[in-house]
Amino acid sequence: MNIKSQTAGEIAIPFDHEKLDRLMEAAGLDILVATSKHNVQYLLGGYKFIFFAAMDAIGHSRYLPVLVYEKGRPENAAYIANKMEGAEHANRPFWTPTFQPATWSSIDAANLAAEHIRKLAKPGARIGIEPPFMPSDAHAVLENLGNSIALVDATSTFERLRAVKTPEELSKLRAASELITDSMLATIEWANEGSTKTEIIERLRREETKRGLHFEYCLLTLGSSHNRAASPQAWKKGEVLSIDSGGNYHGYIGDLCRMGVLGEPDGELEDLLSEIDGVQQAAFAKIRAGAFGGDLVAAGETALKASPSAAFTDFFAHGMGVITHEAPFLMTNHPVAYEGVDAEKPLEAGMVLSVETTMLHPSRGFIKLEDTLAVTDTGYEMFGERGRGWNRGGR
């Protein structure tokens, strides 16, 4: 089935397709084939099919959404979807002029994508794909397109397209951060002596869910332990708590870390968190449009080297948005394995950064701040900035 949703003159494209055309031209790409759920979501203006939101497997295969886009010709775009997505289209039509809700497997999706590409591609065309997000059986189908067509890794093209956020995207990222902060502070206040890590994580899940977030994870420590996995360990008087959580708001990630203490923080704890904040602030001071991404990293690392706790403390900064680590990529293999390709490039207004300083103190435990900031022309705007000091538990 091939449903025509709009004529070429009526298309309202939910992303900057002219920017995408420029990126494709620079990469020498003629056609893009998106198969990751996050990039399909982005190209469809925030849509994700709820039936497969948690898991892709079905029957003997898996759900594989495919969006095909030809450079300079959005009127030739196609969305190849699961059969049940016809109902989604009936309620909120997709922008792609061609919509094919006809698949139950990755082979189904790849065959329909190949069929559509054959109508568009000239001999020798370069087809941009997402190798990390294309099953081998689907890849094999596209390899047999013929006409001397080449399949090219277009992962970077998608990353560049998403790097600068629109005002609407920034609003969603701000909301995600604010709601996560609210949830973490409420959870710390609720937790008391004897509350276990498993119970605290479950409480955070409920707090995030009732605020409209999709809970993704919580990394939690108590006391002197550096172990952030759920367990029966219970919170004790005088101990610290670190709570690091990611929640999703309408397809955009919030990711922050805040600190709690059961009782009143002593002078050493105040000093340790102040050291961490000093590193954070040194990095923040270098954030503005036009500044090199590596400048904020260098500032944070310099401040950390001067810290009394440098031997067991780490600094890290990365881009975020639809996923937790995306452009700009500021550091190489630290700690996530990718190249810091944006360290020597200027930051742009609308980029969103996560800045985090983590202390693995040998006796006081895991002490960390992680903050989210949007780059502006004159500096930055912080999202979810409350609760950056010691938050008291058991109130």
Side-chain angles (χ1 to χ4, degrees):
M1 178 169 57
N2 184 355
I3 298 175
K4 293 290 185 180
S5 60
Q6 293 108 343
T7 65
E10 298 172 341
I11 294 174
I13 303 171
F15 60 90
D16 188 345
H17 65 96
E18 293 179 348
K19 178 180 179 180
L20 179 56
D21 292 339
R22 293 192 299 271
L23 290 168
M24 291 177 69
E25 180 68 24
L29 300 174
D30 300 296
I31 294 171
L32 273 183
V33 181
T35 49
S36 65
K37 286 196 290 191
H38 59 277
N39 278 323
V40 170
Q41 167 195 308
Y42 184 85
L43 295 173
L44 288 177
Y47 166 79
K48 182 184 289 186
F49 186 29
I50 188 64
F51 190 84
F52 292 104
M55 187 170 64
D56 299 335
I58 188 164
H60 297 300
S61 188
R62 57 161 289 174
Y63 172 62
L64 186 68
V66 184
L67 196 145
V68 179
Y69 177 88
E70 183 180 10
K71 182 182 65 180
R73 295 185 176 276
E75 67 272 15
N76 290 339
Y79 178 46
I80 295 157
N82 179 267
K83 286 186 177 182
M84 291 187 288
E85 289 180 84
E88 302 282 342
H89 174 82
N91 293 338
R92 293 172 296 277
F94 302 113
W95 74 266
T96 56
T98 298
F99 170 56
Q100 294 181 276
T103 74
W104 279 111
S105 72
S106 53
I107 288 289
D108 293 342
N111 280 325
L112 287 173
E115 180 182 314
H116 188 74
I117 291 168
R118 285 191 182 98
K119 299 174 186 176
L120 309 177
K122 298 178 175 62
R126 287 165 56 86
I127 313 298
I129 63 170
E130 298 185 80
F133 300 97
M134 180 174 286
S136 60
D137 55 4
H139 187 272
V141 170
L142 295 188
E143 276 191 317
N144 291 320
L145 279 168
N147 260 348
S148 302
I149 286 171
L151 301 184
V152 181
D153 187 343
T155 304
S156 178
T157 299
F158 286 109
E159 292 167 349
R160 295 302 116 192
L161 178 65
R162 302 197 321 265
V164 176
K165 277 60 179 176
T166 65
E168 181 182 4
E169 289 180 287
L170 291 172
S171 177
K172 291 177 180 178
L173 285 159
R174 182 185 299 106
S177 298
E178 295 292 344
L179 293 172
I180 287 173
T181 301
D182 289 345
S183 300
M184 291 194 297
L185 297 183
T187 299
I188 293 170
E189 184 174 321
W190 166 86
N192 211 328
E193 187 172 12
S195 297
T196 69
K197 292 175 71 177
T198 299
E199 290 169 342
I200 296 169
I201 291 170
E202 172 59 18
R203 179 68 181 209
L204 180 67
R205 185 192 67 78
R206 294 181 185 180
E207 293 287 351
E208 291 188 6
T209 300
K210 77 180 184 182
R211 288 173 170 82
L213 290 165
H214 176 78
F215 174 80
E216 297 211 347
Y217 63 85
C218 175
L219 303 172
L220 185 78
T221 69
L222 297 177
S224 61
S225 173
H226 300 157
N227 185 313
R228 299 205 284 171
S231 78
Q233 180 187 355
W235 205 8
K236 299 176 182 177
K237 286 285 187 183
E239 289 187 337
V240 305
L241 169 155
S242 78
I243 188 164
D244 186 336
S245 180
N248 194 302
Y249 182 77
H250 295 267
Y252 288 81
I253 294 292
D255 182 16
L256 299 99
C257 185
R258 294 292 182 259
M259 296 301 303
V261 61
L262 196 53
E264 291 297 319
D266 56 37
E268 182 182 37
L269 288 179
E270 293 283 14
D271 289 344
L272 293 174
L273 193 56
S274 179
E275 284 182 46
I276 289 175
D277 184 51
V279 175
Q280 293 285 96
Q281 296 296 336
F284 297 165
K286 298 296 183 180
I287 298 175
R288 61 172 176 79
F292 288 109
D295 290 351
L296 77 95
V297 174
E301 291 179 333
T302 298
L304 177 56
K305 287 178 183 177
S307 165
S309 305
F312 42 81
T313 306
D314 185 66
F315 173 80
F316 184 44
H318 58 89
M320 60 180 292
V322 174
I323 59 177
T324 51
H325 286 254
E326 62 179 44
F329 299 104
L330 303 177
M331 302 178 74
T332 296
N333 299 335
H334 187 90
V336 183
Y338 53 70
E339 294 296 316
V341 294
D342 296 309
E344 297 183 7
K345 297 177 183 177
L347 298 172
E348 299 179 56
M351 288 180 167
V352 176
L353 308 174
S354 175
V355 180
E356 48 190 294
T357 303
T358 305
M359 179 185 295
L360 303 182
H361 195 279
S363 62
R364 304 312 299 265
F366 193 103
I367 304 176
K368 175 179 179 178
L369 288 176
E370 182 173 9
D371 298 296
T372 298
L373 306 98
V375 180
T376 67
D377 288 327
T378 57
Y380 62 87
E381 178 187 357
M382 188 181 293
F383 297 158
E385 64 182 314
R386 289 165 294 104
R388 298 183 72 257
W390 286 107
N391 300 286
R392 279 65 168 176
R395 292 197 169 183

